[in-house]
Every structure is written in C-alpha cells, then in structure tokens.
Amino acid sequence: MIETPYLLFLGDAPDMLAAKVAIGIRDWRPEFALGQFRLPGCGADLNLTDMTLAEAKAAGAKTLVIGVANRGGYISSQWKEVLIKALEMGFDIASGLHNLLRDEGDLVAAAQTFGGTLHDVRVPTDGYPIANGVKRTGKRCLAVGTDCSVGKMYTAMAMEAEMHKRGLKATFRATGQTGILITGHGVPLDAVIADFMAGSVEYLTPDNDADHWDLIEGQGSLFHISYSGVTMALIHGGQPDVLILAHEPTRDHMRGLPGFALPTLERLRDTALPLAQVANPACQVVGISVNTQHMDEARARDYLAEVEARMGVKATDPYRFGAGKLVEALAAI
Amino acid sequence: MIETPYLLFLGDAPDMLAAKVAIGIRDWRPEFALGQFRLPGCGADLNLTDMTLAEAKAAGAKTLVIGVANRGGYISSQWKEVLIKALEMGFDIASGLHNLLRDEGDLVAAAQTFGGTLHDVRVPTDGYPIANGVKRTGKRCLAVGTDCSVGKMYTAMAMEAEMHKRGLKATFRATGQTGILITGHGVPLDAVIADFMAGSVEYLTPDNDADHWDLIEGQGSLFHISYSGVTMALIHGGQPDVLILAHEPTRDHMRGLPGFALPTLERLRDTALPLAQVANPACQVVGISVNTQHMDEARARDYLAEVEARMGVKATDPYRFGAGKLVEALAAI
C-alpha cells in the first residue's frame, strides 16, 4: 500500500510520452495528484501545480512517485539528489523503474535514517498462496485481449470511473506496475513466481459485497506466446463472471512477434470463454472494447457497429466514446 | 548441470514412497546410480550397492543426490553430518528439498572450503529470455494432462528410453525438480518468474537436428486452475510438433481441487490443440497416455481400446504396456 496523496516526479522527462505513469495517475486518480516536480529541461507538463518538495510536504503529500520512464530505466545522479532530499523531508518514494530503489545503497541508507519507505512496484511484496479455486462472493470482470497493449488497463479504469459516477460499487484491481502506481496497490503479476500466479490473483480479488465488481487489469494475451501463461493465470485466478474482449483492429502482427497474426474477436471469445468457465461456469462475454485511435471517427463508429452486429454484444471505444455501454452490460448480470 | 554419476542418499526414508526421486534416477538413468547411502532405520532399499562415502568416491561418484523427500522437506542434523562429510570428501550435493542447501550456513561454508557445489534444483540458476516465438529446428513433443500428476513425466521418460532403444535421437527435457535430479539438468518451471516462463522453455529446447525429438516434461494442466499458467507457457514456449494427451480415468476430481471435475479427453484435445497451433500451426495430437494403475489388466485393455476407437489416435499405458505405440506415432510425423 503506497501512501497518498502523491507528488509526481517528472524529472527531466524529454516529452509527454515518457511521463505515461504520471499521466495515468493524473487522469485516473486526480485526487492523488497533488502537484508535479520538474527538473530543468523537463519536456513534460501535466498542467498540475509545480511544487518544491517543501511545498508538497506542506500541502500534505506523502509519497514522491517517479512518474516517468527514462531510457534504460535507471536512476541518474541528478534524480538521486532529489530523491535523497525527499527522504530527508519524510517522503516515501515509489517507482516502477527496472533500476530498483532498493539496489541503491544511498537511498536505502537515507530511507533507514529518516524512516521512509521505498516502494519498488516491480517486485512482489506479499507471500502469495497457491490458488484454491474456491468461489468468492462479489463479481469480477476481466478484459482479455487479442494482443498485448490493446487497452485492457484503460478499459478497466474507464469502467471503474463510470461505475463510481453512477454510484455503483467497483474497484480497479491493478496487476501491473503502472496500475499499481496509479492506485497505490496491486500485484505485479509478471514478476510473480509461476506457481503462485493464479493464487496472487485470488489474493488480489477477495470476497466482497454481492453487488461489488472487481475490475481486474488484464495482462498479455492468450495468443501472445511470450506472456500467455500470465493471461491464463488471470483467467483462472480471477474466476471472472464476465469477460470484456479488447482489440486494436489496425495492428498487422502481434506486438513484438513479427509473423504472428492477431486472432479474430470470434477466436478470442471461443478460446477465452471455455477456459474461464473452468474456474467460473457462469462466465459470459458481455462486451467489446476497441482501441480506435488509428481510425477517424466515422470509420471507428462503422467498425464498432459492425462488431456489435457480428458478435452480438455491445462494443465501444471507452476512451473515445465512454465506458457506458460496458457498464450497462455488467448491470445485466 | 549436475555432475554424474551419483551416490543416492536415502537417509532415514521411512518407506519406498519417500524415495521417489532416487527410484526415478535408478529407473531412468541407471548409469548415474552408482550406489545408495542409507542411515540406520532406513525403510527404503533400491537394490543398489550400499556404499560409504569413501567407497562411492573411489568408484567415481561426483554428486551426492538427496533422493528422498522427508516430512516437511527439511534437512535434519543427522543428515547434515553426512552432507558435510561428503563436501569434505569432494562431493557436490544436489537436492530438491524445500529447505534449500544454500540456506544452511554450515553447508555453504563447507562447500566454499572444499570447493563443492550445492545444487538446489527448485531454484532457477540461469537468466532466461522473454520468449520470441521464432521457429526452431528439430522436433518437439509435449504431454498435456487432463489433470496434474497423471503421468506426464513418466510418459516422456518412457518414450525417450524406447526411442534410444530404437536408435532414434531423443532428449528428455526436464521442467520439474524430479526430472532435473534424474537427468542432471533442466528448468524448474514452477519457480520461474512469470514473464520468463515461456522463454525458459524456449531456452530448454533449442535448435537441434531435423530428426531429433525433444520430449518435454509436461506440468500442471490447462484445467487445473492453480497451475494452468505454467502449462500454457509450456505449450507456447515449447512450440510442440505433437501433443500426447495424458489421463488417469479413475480420478473423481482435479488434484487438490474438490468440486472441480476432470475434462474429457475430447475437451482436453479441443482446448490444447488450438492453443498449441498458435505457436506451431502444424501441431497435431498423435497419441494418448493413460495411467491405468487403478484398473485390472482386462479393464485397462478395454479402456485403451475404447479410447483409441473414440479419439482416432493410439492409446497406451507406457508403464504397463510400453511406449512403443507413442514412439511409432511420432515416427509418422
């Protein structure tokens, strides 16, 4: 559990793309995003208040979150100065960088001296059980993709926001580093030991109110040979009541795998649903989330209409057209 | 790579069941099993020559293998004495116990002093890559089960032995601790970090002669919700040319999961084959391995005949009736 609210450290991010994590926090947890901290030459600006460490501290910030991915994922000496100063002032630090905070002796020493916590969200912190498959109370929704990086996290985030707006009970459950930094907790599933993957997802989505929905962040794809095992563990550990199919229609091969074609939405449905029904026989596919960023609006709307007609369930691009259709599909369960 | 041949340490094993690992080595790699070492009260006897450490050393033994699983998987003080003595005499030690050799300070110290190696086969030793899905030369066979512990390792071992007898090129590829101890190398897949599972299987089964078969040790089951992610990674990382379906027909629920029924062989085939074809479009199901240990011979033969007729591929119990049928099915590929 990372303490909130945050001061978002943008460092010397060359551009907005490098500030993806910080943007996610600003967009999905604006109440956590107290301000931004930028170094000279920073090319990213989130339109948040620029704060010094002292100003952020005075405003109540608890954690300095490294909201930027730099080339190589390492911690520069320029950054280090700020991080040590932050620890001295009583901040915790949270990071999803490959270069772990805990591997930097001076950060570890400063954290010990000043009582701060270093959160490396790439590293599992809890001991997870072996999955037992026991049916849990409450409802669970999982997005499964035709490929990696087709918008599964975004879909779950957008659905959570829409459900909260409608007064419905819902919790986004983070399974990747960006999601964990945004929400302050979760399971870094790709870093979990194989035997405990499904168990870690059970742990992440415990018994809950009968009308509560866990919106589980999807990972990988059953059709992406590098990461399909992680997806499988989510499907079985999550025991979802509903699946949302996620797709990016303009991609010409699987991400990072030239020569591997994307499956059709039908094939994804016919593969994922029977596997999900092993863990939850009542599971259904209730909607489709399409990432239409590479289509103009007319083409996007045509595509969504065609998919709805073909697949017999609601389809939308939650970023472009809102998550309402998907939320309404859940309400029918 | 564990150095061979071995002296098999049976310790104070209460019975033969506790000596499962040692029995596997004796049965599948008799040339590695130089002798057995037993403590007073040992209830297991593998009909190997009882040897002192000195006798085994003189006979050329390189590694003392802990071939016994004791209650709790820990290293008793009585065992410790023998292990330290073995290190002093220049043995390496290999173990699949939960209680890691490397966590015992006195063993680590002795290994350092005397230049021995401690092999904890539960712990991955290599840095594995992310799977890239590139087609490899040579052929690969994978057994997938309706459940865990239905005889997948045994099937691959029996096929390897039969293929060697026929002068065919084949290598058993261990993915679990017992298989690794038996053969001296492999990948402890259930202990690999999620992101690297499929990559570790690619690493384990590299390019090979066009007429060489890797017989990959299966793990878990696509229908066992605790471990299905591991199975999925084997199917995609192994890019098998053929699948063997493995089944134990008398089991009334999935191992360790009361309330979860076993799938039929048809459902296993129809689930596993399309997933395998994502990595290798030419993959086929060529045979069925049935564990008939709980059936009398007439019933076993009836069952196998019925399965062959129903499924349209050869079926056998490789332990009871030999692996010939399965090997012949490979030859047709």
Side-chain angles (χ1 to χ4, degrees):
Chain A
M1 203 81 180
I2 304 169
E3 278 203 84
T4 60
Y6 303 152
L7 174 62
L8 302 181
F9 178 80
L10 304 185
D12 45 0
D15 52 31
M16 287 297 278
L17 211 63
K20 198 181 92 166
V21 169
I23 293 171
I25 295 170
R26 180 202 62 187
D27 288 352
W28 299 114
R29 291 290 185 271
E31 69 276 23
F32 293 173
L34 219 51
Q36 62 187 12
F37 182 102
R38 302 191 294 164
L39 288 167
C42 182
D45 181 359
L46 272 62
N47 294 318
L48 295 171
T49 312
D50 282 295
M51 290 182 171
T52 63
L53 294 173
E55 286 165 351
K57 191 74 197 162
K62 300 277 195 256
T63 304
L64 182 72
V65 173
I66 299 182
V68 51
N70 58 357
R71 206 178 298 262
Y74 76 100
I75 298 164
S76 69
S77 60
Q78 202 190 4
W79 286 23
K80 189 77 76 67
E81 260 179 61
V82 180
L83 303 187
I84 289 176
K85 187 84 195 141
L87 288 166
E88 284 174 13
M89 295 177 63
F91 283 91
D92 293 339
I93 302 178
S95 161
L97 297 174
H98 275 289
N99 182 166
L100 301 182
L101 301 171
R102 71 185 61 179
D103 289 342
E104 298 298 309
D106 42 6
L107 293 181
V108 171
Q112 268 166 354
T113 305
F114 302 102
T117 302
L118 304 176
H119 297 280
D120 285 303
V121 301
R122 278 185 186 272
V123 184
T125 47
D126 301 316
Y128 303 118
I130 302 270
N132 64 24
V134 173
K135 176 76 181 150
R136 306 191 290 290
T137 53
K139 302 277 188 191
R140 281 154 204 91
C141 169
L142 174 68
V144 291
T146 51
D147 194 1
C148 300
S149 308
V150 290
K152 295 182 299 290
M153 184 185 89
Y154 195 100
T155 301
M157 284 290 195
M159 289 176 71
E160 188 202 42
E162 182 65 26
M163 290 175 82
H164 287 174
K165 217 165 75 183
R166 298 184 186 203
L168 300 168
K169 295 182 195 167
T171 309
F172 173 86
R173 298 295 188 184
T175 62
Q177 48 163 329
T178 305
I180 296 171
L181 285 173
I182 292 175
T183 60
H185 52 93
V187 166
L189 188 57
D190 62 8
V192 171
I193 297 283
D195 251 3
F196 303 98
M197 293 186 299
S200 74
V201 181
E202 291 189 348
Y203 170 93
L204 180 67
T205 60
D207 281 329
N208 214 316
D209 296 346
D211 58 346
H212 176 276
W213 282 91
D214 276 331
L215 303 163
I216 307 171
E217 181 188 356
Q219 294 293 339
S221 164
L222 288 172
F223 294 87
H224 195 295
I225 61 97
S226 311
Y227 308 116
S228 53
V230 177
T231 311
M232 187 74 258
L234 270 166
I235 291 174
H236 281 171
Q239 56 180 229
D241 298 276
V242 309
L243 298 177
I244 305 280
L245 308 182
H247 186 47
E248 204 284 66
T250 68
R251 212 169 275 186
D252 63 3
H253 64 75
M254 297 292 287
R255 189 177 163 89
L257 299 176
F260 283 80
L262 272 75
T264 60
L265 282 164
E266 286 86 344
R267 188 167 173 208
L268 173 61
R269 175 194 62 203
D270 296 344
T271 302
L273 184 59
L275 286 168
Q277 289 172 337
V278 170
N280 185 347
C283 187
Q284 303 173 43
V285 171
V286 299
I288 298 170
S289 175
V290 182
N291 177 343
T292 64
Q293 66 175 316
H294 298 300
M295 297 170 150
D296 65 31
E297 184 170 337
R299 194 171 151 221
R301 290 199 185 274
D302 284 353
Y303 182 81
L304 291 170
E306 184 264 317
V307 163
E308 282 193 353
R310 211 175 80 210
M311 301 289 293
V313 294
K314 294 294 177 187
T316 190
D317 179 335
Y319 180 78
R320 200 166 192 170
F321 305 119
K325 276 191 182 182
L326 301 176
V327 168
E328 283 149 27
L330 292 199
I333 298 298
Chain B
M1 201 82 183
I2 304 170
E3 278 204 84
T4 59
Y6 303 151
L7 174 63
L8 302 180
F9 178 80
L10 304 185
D12 45 2
D15 51 32
M16 286 296 278
L17 212 61
K20 197 181 94 167
V21 169
I23 293 170
I25 295 171
R26 179 201 62 187
D27 288 353
W28 299 114
R29 290 290 185 271
E31 69 276 23
F32 293 174
L34 218 53
Q36 63 186 12
F37 182 102
R38 302 191 294 164
L39 288 167
C42 181
D45 182 358
L46 271 64
N47 293 319
L48 295 171
T49 311
D50 282 296
M51 290 183 173
T52 63
L53 293 174
E55 285 164 351
K57 192 74 195 160
K62 300 277 194 254
T63 304
L64 183 72
V65 173
I66 298 181
V68 52
N70 58 356
R71 206 178 298 262
Y74 75 100
I75 297 165
S76 69
S77 59
Q78 202 190 4
W79 287 21
K80 190 76 77 67
E81 260 180 63
V82 179
L83 303 187
I84 290 176
K85 186 87 194 138
L87 288 166
E88 285 174 11
M89 294 178 63
F91 282 91
D92 293 340
I93 303 179
S95 161
L97 297 174
H98 274 289
N99 182 168
L100 300 183
L101 300 170
R102 71 185 61 178
D103 288 343
E104 298 297 310
D106 41 7
L107 293 182
V108 172
Q112 268 165 354
T113 305
F114 301 103
T117 302
L118 303 177
H119 297 279
D120 285 303
V121 300
R122 279 185 186 273
V123 184
T125 48
D126 301 315
Y128 304 118
I130 302 269
N132 64 24
V134 173
K135 177 75 182 151
R136 305 191 291 289
T137 52
K139 301 279 188 190
R140 283 156 202 88
C141 169
L142 174 68
V144 291
T146 51
D147 193 2
C148 298
S149 309
V150 290
K152 295 183 297 292
M153 183 185 91
Y154 195 100
T155 300
M157 283 291 195
M159 289 175 72
E160 188 204 41
E162 182 65 25
M163 290 175 82
H164 287 174
K165 217 164 75 182
R166 298 183 186 202
L168 299 169
K169 295 182 195 167
T171 309
F172 173 85
R173 298 295 187 185
T175 62
Q177 47 163 330
T178 304
I180 296 172
L181 285 173
I182 292 175
T183 60
H185 53 93
V187 167
L189 189 57
D190 61 8
V192 171
I193 298 283
D195 251 4
F196 302 99
M197 292 186 299
S200 74
V201 182
E202 291 189 348
Y203 170 93
L204 180 68
T205 60
D207 280 329
N208 215 316
D209 297 345
D211 58 345
H212 175 276
W213 282 92
D214 275 332
L215 303 162
I216 307 172
E217 181 188 356
Q219 295 291 340
S221 165
L222 289 171
F223 294 87
H224 195 294
I225 62 97
S226 311
Y227 308 115
S228 53
V230 178
T231 311
M232 187 74 258
L234 270 167
I235 290 173
H236 281 170
Q239 54 180 231
D241 298 275
V242 308
L243 298 177
I244 305 279
L245 308 181
H247 186 48
E248 203 285 67
T250 68
R251 214 170 274 187
D252 63 3
H253 64 75
M254 297 293 287
R255 189 177 164 89
L257 299 176
F260 283 80
L262 272 73
T264 61
L265 283 164
E266 285 87 344
R267 189 167 172 209
L268 172 61
R269 176 194 61 202
D270 296 345
T271 303
L273 184 58
L275 287 168
Q277 288 170 338
V278 170
N280 184 347
C283 187
Q284 302 172 44
V285 171
V286 299
I288 298 168
S289 174
V290 182
N291 177 343
T292 64
Q293 66 176 316
H294 298 299
M295 298 171 148
D296 65 32
E297 184 170 336
R299 195 173 150 220
R301 289 197 184 276
D302 283 353
Y303 182 82
L304 290 170
E306 183 265 316
V307 163
E308 281 194 354
R310 211 174 81 210
M311 301 289 293
V313 292
K314 295 295 177 186
T316 190
D317 179 336
Y319 181 79
R320 200 165 191 171
F321 305 119
K325 276 190 182 183
L326 301 177
V327 168
E328 284 148 27
L330 292 200
I333 298 298

mmCIF file with all atom_site columns, all heavy atoms in Angstrom, chain A residues 80-94:
data_model
loop_
_atom_site.group_PDB
_atom_site.id
_atom_site.type_symbol
_atom_site.label_atom_id
_atom_site.label_alt_id
_atom_site.label_comp_id
_atom_site.label_asym_id
_atom_site.label_entity_id
_atom_site.label_seq_id
_atom_site.pdbx_PDB_ins_code
_atom_site.Cartn_x
_atom_site.Cartn_y
_atom_site.Cartn_z
_atom_site.occupancy
_atom_site.B_iso_or_equiv
_atom_site.pdbx_formal_charge
_atom_site.auth_seq_id
_atom_site.auth_comp_id
_atom_site.auth_asym_id
_atom_site.auth_atom_id
_atom_site.pdbx_PDB_model_num
ATOM 1   N N   . LYS A 1 80 ? 18.891 11.365 -8.166 1.00 0.00 ? 80 LYS A N   1
ATOM 2   C CA  . LYS A 1 80 ? 19.242 10.851 -6.841 1.00 0.00 ? 80 LYS A CA  1
ATOM 3   C C   . LYS A 1 80 ? 19.232 11.960 -5.794 1.00 0.00 ? 80 LYS A C   1
ATOM 4   O O   . LYS A 1 80 ? 18.728 11.768 -4.679 1.00 0.00 ? 80 LYS A O   1
ATOM 5   C CB  . LYS A 1 80 ? 20.614 10.166 -6.926 1.00 0.00 ? 80 LYS A CB  1
ATOM 6   C CG  . LYS A 1 80 ? 21.034 9.397  -5.694 1.00 0.00 ? 80 LYS A CG  1
ATOM 7   C CD  . LYS A 1 80 ? 20.339 8.065  -5.572 1.00 0.00 ? 80 LYS A CD  1
ATOM 8   C CE  . LYS A 1 80 ? 20.861 6.987  -6.484 1.00 0.00 ? 80 LYS A CE  1
ATOM 9   N NZ  . LYS A 1 80 ? 22.213 6.516  -6.230 1.00 0.00 ? 80 LYS A NZ  1
ATOM 10  N N   . GLU A 1 81 ? 19.781 13.103 -6.159 1.00 0.00 ? 81 GLU A N   1
ATOM 11  C CA  . GLU A 1 81 ? 19.801 14.251 -5.247 1.00 0.00 ? 81 GLU A CA  1
ATOM 12  C C   . GLU A 1 81 ? 18.405 14.585 -4.734 1.00 0.00 ? 81 GLU A C   1
ATOM 13  O O   . GLU A 1 81 ? 18.203 14.822 -3.544 1.00 0.00 ? 81 GLU A O   1
ATOM 14  C CB  . GLU A 1 81 ? 20.303 15.499 -5.991 1.00 0.00 ? 81 GLU A CB  1
ATOM 15  C CG  . GLU A 1 81 ? 21.751 15.834 -5.760 1.00 0.00 ? 81 GLU A CG  1
ATOM 16  C CD  . GLU A 1 81 ? 22.122 17.072 -6.562 1.00 0.00 ? 81 GLU A CD  1
ATOM 17  O OE1 . GLU A 1 81 ? 21.524 18.154 -6.312 1.00 0.00 ? 81 GLU A OE1 1
ATOM 18  O OE2 . GLU A 1 81 ? 22.977 16.953 -7.474 1.00 0.00 ? 81 GLU A OE2 1
ATOM 19  N N   . VAL A 1 82 ? 17.463 14.635 -5.664 1.00 0.00 ? 82 VAL A N   1
ATOM 20  C CA  . VAL A 1 82 ? 16.084 14.963 -5.286 1.00 0.00 ? 82 VAL A CA  1
ATOM 21  C C   . VAL A 1 82 ? 15.494 13.856 -4.404 1.00 0.00 ? 82 VAL A C   1
ATOM 22  O O   . VAL A 1 82 ? 14.826 14.130 -3.401 1.00 0.00 ? 82 VAL A O   1
ATOM 23  C CB  . VAL A 1 82 ? 15.198 15.142 -6.543 1.00 0.00 ? 82 VAL A CB  1
ATOM 24  C CG1 . VAL A 1 82 ? 13.765 15.478 -6.136 1.00 0.00 ? 82 VAL A CG1 1
ATOM 25  C CG2 . VAL A 1 82 ? 15.783 16.213 -7.457 1.00 0.00 ? 82 VAL A CG2 1
ATOM 26  N N   . LEU A 1 83 ? 15.758 12.615 -4.781 1.00 0.00 ? 83 LEU A N   1
ATOM 27  C CA  . LEU A 1 83 ? 15.162 11.504 -4.038 1.00 0.00 ? 83 LEU A CA  1
ATOM 28  C C   . LEU A 1 83 ? 15.680 11.466 -2.597 1.00 0.00 ? 83 LEU A C   1
ATOM 29  O O   . LEU A 1 83 ? 14.904 11.264 -1.653 1.00 0.00 ? 83 LEU A O   1
ATOM 30  C CB  . LEU A 1 83 ? 15.465 10.166 -4.744 1.00 0.00 ? 83 LEU A CB  1
ATOM 31  C CG  . LEU A 1 83 ? 14.997 10.064 -6.206 1.00 0.00 ? 83 LEU A CG  1
ATOM 32  C CD1 . LEU A 1 83 ? 15.205 8.646  -6.732 1.00 0.00 ? 83 LEU A CD1 1
ATOM 33  C CD2 . LEU A 1 83 ? 13.528 10.472 -6.353 1.00 0.00 ? 83 LEU A CD2 1
ATOM 34  N N   . ILE A 1 84 ? 16.973 11.709 -2.431 1.00 0.00 ? 84 ILE A N   1
ATOM 35  C CA  . ILE A 1 84 ? 17.533 11.696 -1.074 1.00 0.00 ? 84 ILE A CA  1
ATOM 36  C C   . ILE A 1 84 ? 16.976 12.861 -0.256 1.00 0.00 ? 84 ILE A C   1
ATOM 37  O O   . ILE A 1 84 ? 16.592 12.699 0.906  1.00 0.00 ? 84 ILE A O   1
ATOM 38  C CB  . ILE A 1 84 ? 19.076 11.716 -1.136 1.00 0.00 ? 84 ILE A CB  1
ATOM 39  C CG1 . ILE A 1 84 ? 19.562 10.344 -1.646 1.00 0.00 ? 84 ILE A CG1 1
ATOM 40  C CG2 . ILE A 1 84 ? 19.683 12.029 0.235  1.00 0.00 ? 84 ILE A CG2 1
ATOM 41  C CD1 . ILE A 1 84 ? 21.049 10.245 -1.859 1.00 0.00 ? 84 ILE A CD1 1
ATOM 42  N N   . LYS A 1 85 ? 16.881 14.009 -0.892 1.00 0.00 ? 85 LYS A N   1
ATOM 43  C CA  . LYS A 1 85 ? 16.299 15.187 -0.226 1.00 0.00 ? 85 LYS A CA  1
ATOM 44  C C   . LYS A 1 85 ? 14.850 14.878 0.206  1.00 0.00 ? 85 LYS A C   1
ATOM 45  O O   . LYS A 1 85 ? 14.434 15.215 1.319  1.00 0.00 ? 85 LYS A O   1
ATOM 46  C CB  . LYS A 1 85 ? 16.319 16.363 -1.225 1.00 0.00 ? 85 LYS A CB  1
ATOM 47  C CG  . LYS A 1 85 ? 15.906 17.684 -0.649 1.00 0.00 ? 85 LYS A CG  1
ATOM 48  C CD  . LYS A 1 85 ? 17.081 18.391 0.036  1.00 0.00 ? 85 LYS A CD  1
ATOM 49  C CE  . LYS A 1 85 ? 16.554 19.520 0.923  1.00 0.00 ? 85 LYS A CE  1
ATOM 50  N NZ  . LYS A 1 85 ? 17.266 19.651 2.175  1.00 0.00 ? 85 LYS A NZ  1
ATOM 51  N N   . ALA A 1 86 ? 14.118 14.206 -0.667 1.00 0.00 ? 86 ALA A N   1
ATOM 52  C CA  . ALA A 1 86 ? 12.727 13.863 -0.350 1.00 0.00 ? 86 ALA A CA  1
ATOM 53  C C   . ALA A 1 86 ? 12.663 12.930 0.855  1.00 0.00 ? 86 ALA A C   1
ATOM 54  O O   . ALA A 1 86 ? 11.823 13.108 1.752  1.00 0.00 ? 86 ALA A O   1
ATOM 55  C CB  . ALA A 1 86 ? 12.050 13.218 -1.564 1.00 0.00 ? 86 ALA A CB  1
ATOM 56  N N   . LEU A 1 87 ? 13.532 11.944 0.900  1.00 0.00 ? 87 LEU A N   1
ATOM 57  C CA  . LEU A 1 87 ? 13.559 11.033 2.051  1.00 0.00 ? 87 LEU A CA  1
ATOM 58  C C   . LEU A 1 87 ? 13.893 11.805 3.323  1.00 0.00 ? 87 LEU A C   1
ATOM 59  O O   . LEU A 1 87 ? 13.268 11.597 4.373  1.00 0.00 ? 87 LEU A O   1
ATOM 60  C CB  . LEU A 1 87 ? 14.573 9.909  1.815  1.00 0.00 ? 87 LEU A CB  1
ATOM 61  C CG  . LEU A 1 87 ? 14.152 8.854  0.778  1.00 0.00 ? 87 LEU A CG  1
ATOM 62  C CD1 . LEU A 1 87 ? 15.340 7.993  0.353  1.00 0.00 ? 87 LEU A CD1 1
ATOM 63  C CD2 . LEU A 1 87 ? 13.018 7.974  1.309  1.00 0.00 ? 87 LEU A CD2 1
ATOM 64  N N   . GLU A 1 88 ? 14.839 12.711 3.230  1.00 0.00 ? 88 GLU A N   1
ATOM 65  C CA  . GLU A 1 88 ? 15.205 13.542 4.391  1.00 0.00 ? 88 GLU A CA  1
ATOM 66  C C   . GLU A 1 88 ? 14.011 14.333 4.908  1.00 0.00 ? 88 GLU A C   1
ATOM 67  O O   . GLU A 1 88 ? 13.881 14.595 6.098  1.00 0.00 ? 88 GLU A O   1
ATOM 68  C CB  . GLU A 1 88 ? 16.313 14.535 4.008  1.00 0.00 ? 88 GLU A CB  1
ATOM 69  C CG  . GLU A 1 88 ? 17.698 13.900 3.888  1.00 0.00 ? 88 GLU A CG  1
ATOM 70  C CD  . GLU A 1 88 ? 18.744 14.895 3.358  1.00 0.00 ? 88 GLU A CD  1
ATOM 71  O OE1 . GLU A 1 88 ? 18.452 16.117 3.322  1.00 0.00 ? 88 GLU A OE1 1
ATOM 72  O OE2 . GLU A 1 88 ? 19.828 14.441 2.978  1.00 0.00 ? 88 GLU A OE2 1
ATOM 73  N N   . MET A 1 89 ? 13.126 14.714 3.963  1.00 0.00 ? 89 MET A N   1
ATOM 74  C CA  . MET A 1 89 ? 11.968 15.522 4.365  1.00 0.00 ? 89 MET A CA  1
ATOM 75  C C   . MET A 1 89 ? 10.772 14.671 4.779  1.00 0.00 ? 89 MET A C   1
ATOM 76  O O   . MET A 1 89 ? 9.698  15.197 5.065  1.00 0.00 ? 89 MET A O   1
ATOM 77  C CB  . MET A 1 89 ? 11.577 16.452 3.226  1.00 0.00 ? 89 MET A CB  1
ATOM 78  C CG  . MET A 1 89 ? 12.674 17.476 2.940  1.00 0.00 ? 89 MET A CG  1
ATOM 79  S SD  . MET A 1 89 ? 12.245 18.526 1.542  1.00 0.00 ? 89 MET A SD  1
ATOM 80  C CE  . MET A 1 89 ? 10.778 19.323 2.192  1.00 0.00 ? 89 MET A CE  1
ATOM 81  N N   . GLY A 1 90 ? 10.951 13.347 4.776  1.00 0.00 ? 90 GLY A N   1
ATOM 82  C CA  . GLY A 1 90 ? 9.888  12.485 5.290  1.00 0.00 ? 90 GLY A CA  1
ATOM 83  C C   . GLY A 1 90 ? 8.983  11.884 4.236  1.00 0.00 ? 90 GLY A C   1
ATOM 84  O O   . GLY A 1 90 ? 7.969  11.257 4.571  1.00 0.00 ? 90 GLY A O   1
ATOM 85  N N   . PHE A 1 91 ? 9.323  12.059 2.963  1.00 0.00 ? 91 PHE A N   1
ATOM 86  C CA  . PHE A 1 91 ? 8.542  11.395 1.914  1.00 0.00 ? 91 PHE A CA  1
ATOM 87  C C   . PHE A 1 91 ? 8.880  9.905  1.854  1.00 0.00 ? 91 PHE A C   1
ATOM 88  O O   . PHE A 1 91 ? 10.006 9.494  2.158  1.00 0.00 ? 91 PHE A O   1
ATOM 89  C CB  . PHE A 1 91 ? 8.900  11.975 0.530  1.00 0.00 ? 91 PHE A CB  1
ATOM 90  C CG  . PHE A 1 91 ? 8.284  13.317 0.218  1.00 0.00 ? 91 PHE A CG  1
ATOM 91  C CD1 . PHE A 1 91 ? 8.957  14.494 0.529  1.00 0.00 ? 91 PHE A CD1 1
ATOM 92  C CD2 . PHE A 1 91 ? 7.041  13.393 -0.409 1.00 0.00 ? 91 PHE A CD2 1
ATOM 93  C CE1 . PHE A 1 91 ? 8.406  15.730 0.233  1.00 0.00 ? 91 PHE A CE1 1
ATOM 94  C CE2 . PHE A 1 91 ? 6.489  14.631 -0.719 1.00 0.00 ? 91 PHE A CE2 1
ATOM 95  C CZ  . PHE A 1 91 ? 7.172  15.807 -0.392 1.00 0.00 ? 91 PHE A CZ  1
ATOM 96  N N   . ASP A 1 92 ? 7.905  9.091  1.416  1.00 0.00 ? 92 ASP A N   1
ATOM 97  C CA  . ASP A 1 92 ? 8.208  7.776  0.866  1.00 0.00 ? 92 ASP A CA  1
ATOM 98  C C   . ASP A 1 92 ? 8.485  7.981  -0.624 1.00 0.00 ? 92 ASP A C   1
ATOM 99  O O   . ASP A 1 92 ? 8.143  9.025  -1.184 1.00 0.00 ? 92 ASP A O   1
ATOM 100 C CB  . ASP A 1 92 ? 7.013  6.828  1.017  1.00 0.00 ? 92 ASP A CB  1
ATOM 101 C CG  . ASP A 1 92 ? 6.726  6.481  2.473  1.00 0.00 ? 92 ASP A CG  1
ATOM 102 O OD1 . ASP A 1 92 ? 7.641  6.623  3.310  1.00 0.00 ? 92 ASP A OD1 1
ATOM 103 O OD2 . ASP A 1 92 ? 5.587  6.065  2.762  1.00 0.00 ? 92 ASP A OD2 1
ATOM 104 N N   . ILE A 1 93 ? 9.065  6.942  -1.265 1.00 0.00 ? 93 ILE A N   1
ATOM 105 C CA  . ILE A 1 93 ? 9.283  7.016  -2.715 1.00 0.00 ? 93 ILE A CA  1
ATOM 106 C C   . ILE A 1 93 ? 8.719  5.757  -3.357 1.00 0.00 ? 93 ILE A C   1
ATOM 107 O O   . ILE A 1 93 ? 8.875  4.653  -2.826 1.00 0.00 ? 93 ILE A O   1
ATOM 108 C CB  . ILE A 1 93 ? 10.784 7.144  -3.062 1.00 0.00 ? 93 ILE A CB  1
ATOM 109 C CG1 . ILE A 1 93 ? 11.373 8.390  -2.377 1.00 0.00 ? 93 ILE A CG1 1
ATOM 110 C CG2 . ILE A 1 93 ? 10.995 7.228  -4.568 1.00 0.00 ? 93 ILE A CG2 1
ATOM 111 C CD1 . ILE A 1 93 ? 12.845 8.580  -2.626 1.00 0.00 ? 93 ILE A CD1 1
ATOM 112 N N   . ALA A 1 94 ? 8.046  5.935  -4.494 1.00 0.00 ? 94 ALA A N   1
ATOM 113 C CA  . ALA A 1 94 ? 7.512  4.786  -5.230 1.00 0.00 ? 94 ALA A CA  1
ATOM 114 C C   . ALA A 1 94 ? 8.007  4.849  -6.668 1.00 0.00 ? 94 ALA A C   1
ATOM 115 O O   . ALA A 1 94 ? 8.039  5.918  -7.278 1.00 0.00 ? 94 ALA A O   1
ATOM 116 C CB  . ALA A 1 94 ? 5.984  4.788  -5.210 1.00 0.00 ? 94 ALA A CB  1
#
